[in-house]
Amino acid sequence: MDNAIEIQQLNKSFGRQSVLRQLTMAVPSGAVYGFLGNNGAGKSTLMRILLGLIRPDSGQFSMLGQPLSRALKARVGSLIDSACLYEHLTAVEFLRLMVKLKDIPSLEISRVLELVDLQPDQHKLIRNYSLGMKQRLALANALLGEPELLLLDEPTNGLDPTGMDEIRQLIARLPRQSAVTVLVSSHLLDEVEKIASHVGILHNGQLVREGKINDLLSAGQGLLQLNLADAAKWLPLLRMSNQVRLVSASELEVSGIRKIDCPAIHYQLINAGAHLFQSHFDSLSLEQCFRQSVTGARK
Amino acid sequence: MNKFLILFCVEIAKLKRSQALVMTLLCPFAVILLQLLVVIEGNGDFIAKRGWNMYWMSVVSLWYSFMLPLYIALITGLLTSLEHKNHGWRLMATLPISRVQLYIAKTLLAWALMAIGSLWLYLLTGLSIGLLLLLGYQGGDILHWSFVSQLCPVLVAALPIVVIGMTVSWLIPSMVPALVLGVSMTMAAMSVSRSPDYWMFDPWTYPMVATMVQGVAVRELAIALGAVVGGILLLAGCWYCTRRPIHS
């Protein structure tokens, strides 16, 4: 199976508001797929559709090569937005209920509690947990039974920086440890950049960019900083074909270019007699790539 | 183990430290406390004149005609609030279980709690009579099995109220509408149950009619209506409640 999730022309509206529009995407098996989008872009709606909480208006999807069914749900772990926990129970009591319903051995409880580092607090009432502990427990529940696919909607919501880092590392480790595919939605671009192998950018219910994170970033446009003598003199030359800004008497900034275009600029300057001391190219961060994609989609 | 049985056991396990369990113990206790106060306040005249038979009758009629419908509204509200409060509907919907089975398991649990509450009431009645005897009150025969035997008919006759309570509190996150419905319909049922023509249109009258009315045929009709109307409502509830999208 090449793709763990396949979605074809999915549509969903709430009243007159169209949330997902002809959404087609694929999540490769074994990937950590970061699903990006502003609030209201349709990320959570898609997660809810995949889990069967709401029905799409039209379109099709399959996970692990199957349409949604009870048997499939047993192979999928999920954490949707805020943690769903019975707060009057202890962590171990809660997980005992979950292993019964998922029909998996209760030995799993200690494994997942260890994985999220909650073993010391397993007998405390969940209502006395911090927000971060609750989120870790919800993740432990999602990991019960070593699911083949994990759907995580904003998994670091409410966590402190240390907690966020722990969860990020845990998610990034998962595919190597247990061959799980992870679809993780977030509006924290920095978070996704750190853990994802693939990225999809959702804007107004449509996928505006998708692919391997490295390909996306290297294919994108960046910023070239040039240190050269008498910088102002070379401004008109470069302005003919680029967006250029004079930063100081000895520095120019060329924006909106790809790394592959840099040698041509260097050649153009040197050929015209410029004394080029230093050149530095900054490739796009995921945040810049996201902004570009969203702005491009708006236009 | 059968999937439904596992789900039912999980629903029972969720009751640990829950208010639903506390209320199952407290509501019958409140009825007994009220009756004890009535007897003690009247210096036992009520028992001396009419015997323990009347004491049993007061307890049972107060429970079945007034407290039980309110208790059902409360208990169904508390059972579903476990899910409403904790995003439990969403959690349960992501698990490999059927929503129809979940609806039936919760309704069955509410019904079982009603039975447990009623049995607890009988036990407390016996204990309270023991206490009154120790305090020197006398009233003839202590045990009146006819009142205990009312439990089974009431369990059947109250099925529609249980299903309606469960459905309303399943659909509406707040407990208030279920409680308002329970209180207002209980009040209305007290009048409607006296009408020979209209009582059958109000399911809240069925437990009262099944236990309090003199005629055997009418009592049997109340029980039969409870079973049939309860069964139809249960099917309708299964169909409607489990098809709604889960947003919470």
Side-chain angles (χ1 to χ4, degrees):
Chain A
M1 186 181 17
D2 294 336
N3 293 321
I5 302 177
E6 284 185 1
I7 297 166
Q8 285 175 346
Q9 298 184 316
L10 211 61
N11 288 292
K12 178 69 187 173
S13 301
F14 294 109
R16 285 183 185 174
Q17 193 191 353
S18 181
V19 181
L20 295 178
R21 292 185 289 170
Q22 295 288 319
L23 180 69
T24 298
M25 62 179 271
V27 177
S29 294
V32 175
Y33 190 104
F35 197 40
L36 297 170
N38 289 323
N39 288 337
K43 305 185 299 286
S44 296
T45 302
L46 177 67
M47 291 285 194
R48 282 169 160 79
I49 289 174
L50 292 176
L51 287 165
L53 302 182
I54 51 178
R55 292 194 180 97
D57 298 334
S58 62
Q60 289 177 327
F61 68 91
S62 67
M63 292 187 285
L64 305 169
Q66 292 178 15
L68 188 64
S69 65
R70 252 182 281 164
L72 178 66
K73 281 183 184 177
R75 298 165 64 196
V76 178
S78 61
L79 193 171
I80 300 292
D81 201 5
S82 47
C84 308
L85 305 163
Y86 298 109
E87 299 203 346
H88 60 291
L89 302 177
T90 65
V92 78
E93 285 167 353
F94 169 71
L95 291 176
R96 252 183 230 141
L97 302 187
M98 294 301 113
V99 293
K100 275 184 194 163
L101 292 173
K102 291 180 179 180
D103 197 17
I104 49 181
S106 45
L107 279 173
E108 271 290 283
I109 295 173
S110 50
R111 184 187 73 84
V112 293
L113 282 173
E114 200 181 328
L115 213 57
V116 299
D117 198 23
L118 273 179
Q119 259 183 334
D121 303 299
Q122 61 179 311
H123 296 298
K124 273 189 193 166
L125 289 180
I126 298 171
R127 73 163 73 101
N128 297 331
Y129 275 20
S130 68
L131 212 56
M133 289 164 84
K134 285 179 187 172
Q135 201 73 358
R136 269 154 49 202
L137 180 59
L139 189 61
N141 176 37
L143 293 171
L144 274 176
E146 300 194 52
E148 294 163 62
L149 176 62
L150 262 183
L151 304 179
L152 308 174
D153 189 14
E154 311 280 2
T156 55
N157 254 2
L159 296 180
D160 57 26
T162 316
M164 282 169 99
D165 197 44
E166 281 171 14
I167 297 290
R168 272 200 294 256
Q169 286 179 20
L170 179 63
I171 295 169
R173 273 202 315 268
L174 284 170
R176 294 195 294 275
Q177 286 177 342
S178 55
V180 65
T181 305
V182 184
L183 173 63
V184 53
S185 88
S186 180
H187 57 267
L188 301 176
L189 304 166
D190 176 49
E191 176 178 296
V192 171
E193 192 169 359
K194 284 179 182 158
I195 59 173
S197 59
H198 293 68
V199 172
I201 298 173
L202 193 70
H203 181 66
N204 283 342
Q206 286 179 313
L207 201 66
V208 290
R209 200 173 269 194
E210 186 184 33
K212 282 186 182 171
I213 193 162
N214 292 336
D215 294 349
L216 277 184
L217 296 181
S218 60
Q221 295 170 330
L223 187 77
L224 177 67
Q225 290 169 317
L226 298 165
N227 282 92
L228 68 176
D230 205 2
K233 184 180 167 188
W234 309 108
L235 203 59
L237 174 72
L238 294 179
R239 265 203 182 136
M240 283 156 62
S241 53
N242 300 290
Q243 292 177 308
V244 189
R245 189 170 73 94
L246 182 67
V247 180
S248 67
S250 60
E251 191 177 345
L252 286 175
E253 242 179 35
V254 186
S255 59
I257 60 162
R258 294 173 302 164
K259 196 171 186 176
I260 201 168
D261 302 325
C262 294
I265 292 174
H266 295 154
Y267 181 78
Q268 196 180 2
L269 284 169
I270 292 165
N271 214 22
H275 293 287
L276 184 61
F277 306 129
Q278 203 177 1
S279 167
H280 177 74
F281 181 78
D282 264 337
S283 58
L284 284 181
S285 66
L286 187 59
E287 187 174 340
Q288 288 163 319
C289 180
F290 175 76
R291 283 209 194 113
Q292 265 186 13
S293 307
V294 170
T295 317
R298 274 196 197 124
K299 283 172 187 169
Chain B
M1 213 186 337
N2 176 287
K3 279 263 178 195
F4 178 75
L5 212 54
I6 292 171
L7 181 57
F8 188 63
C9 291
V10 165
E11 287 302 313
I12 293 171
K14 279 186 204 168
L15 290 178
K16 196 170 180 182
R17 298 184 205 97
S18 73
Q19 289 178 336
L21 213 53
V22 175
M23 287 302 150
T24 301
L25 300 176
L26 275 187
C27 289
F29 185 76
V31 170
I32 297 299
L33 197 64
L34 188 67
Q35 285 305 308
L36 274 173
L37 289 174
V38 168
V39 171
I40 291 167
E41 207 261 341
N43 285 323
D45 289 350
F46 158 56
I47 302 293
K49 282 180 193 163
R50 299 182 174 185
W52 296 117
N53 176 49
M54 202 58 198
Y55 182 77
W56 274 100
M57 192 179 215
S58 306
V59 168
V60 167
S61 58
L62 183 59
W63 175 249
Y64 287 136
S65 58
F66 182 72
M67 191 59 108
L68 185 74
L70 298 181
Y71 164 75
I72 290 171
L74 184 64
I75 221 75
T76 49
L78 288 172
L79 286 180
T80 50
S81 75
L82 285 177
E83 313 298 339
H84 289 305
K85 266 197 303 194
N86 305 304
H87 301 293
W89 298 124
R90 196 200 294 165
L91 173 67
M92 298 303 274
T94 60
L95 295 170
I97 54 170
S98 137
R99 282 167 76 183
V100 171
Q101 285 187 349
L102 180 63
Y103 178 84
I104 295 173
K106 281 208 179 285
T107 309
L108 189 61
L109 185 59
W111 191 73
L113 286 174
M114 179 183 77
I116 292 167
S118 302
L119 285 170
W120 175 235
L121 178 93
Y122 288 129
L123 183 68
L124 285 177
T125 309
L127 289 172
S128 65
I129 289 173
L131 181 68
L132 289 169
L133 284 170
L134 281 174
L135 293 172
Y137 295 96
Q138 296 296 325
D141 290 342
I142 294 165
L143 281 174
H144 291 270
W145 291 110
S146 60
F147 295 114
V148 180
S149 66
Q150 285 176 347
L151 176 62
C152 289
V154 168
L155 288 183
V156 180
L159 187 60
I161 319 177
V162 175
V163 178
I164 292 169
M166 179 55 67
T167 305
V168 171
S169 47
W170 179 290
L171 298 175
I172 304 169
S174 166
M175 273 179 68
V176 176
L179 286 175
V180 168
L181 180 74
V183 172
S184 50
M185 291 309 286
T186 304
M187 298 301 174
M190 286 179 166
S191 305
V192 179
S193 63
R194 288 190 217 114
S195 161
D197 299 323
Y198 296 109
W199 69 266
M200 62 190 69
F201 300 108
D202 179 359
W204 274 261
T205 63
Y206 299 170
M208 296 181 207
V209 175
T211 51
M212 304 300 156
V213 171
Q214 292 291 326
V216 176
V218 179
R219 286 213 300 257
E220 284 175 354
L221 180 62
I223 297 165
L225 278 171
V228 173
V229 175
I232 292 168
L233 289 175
L234 187 66
L235 288 175
C238 283
W239 180 82
Y240 185 69
C241 292
T242 59
R243 267 157 186 78
R244 283 165 55 94
I246 296 166
H247 295 290
S248 68

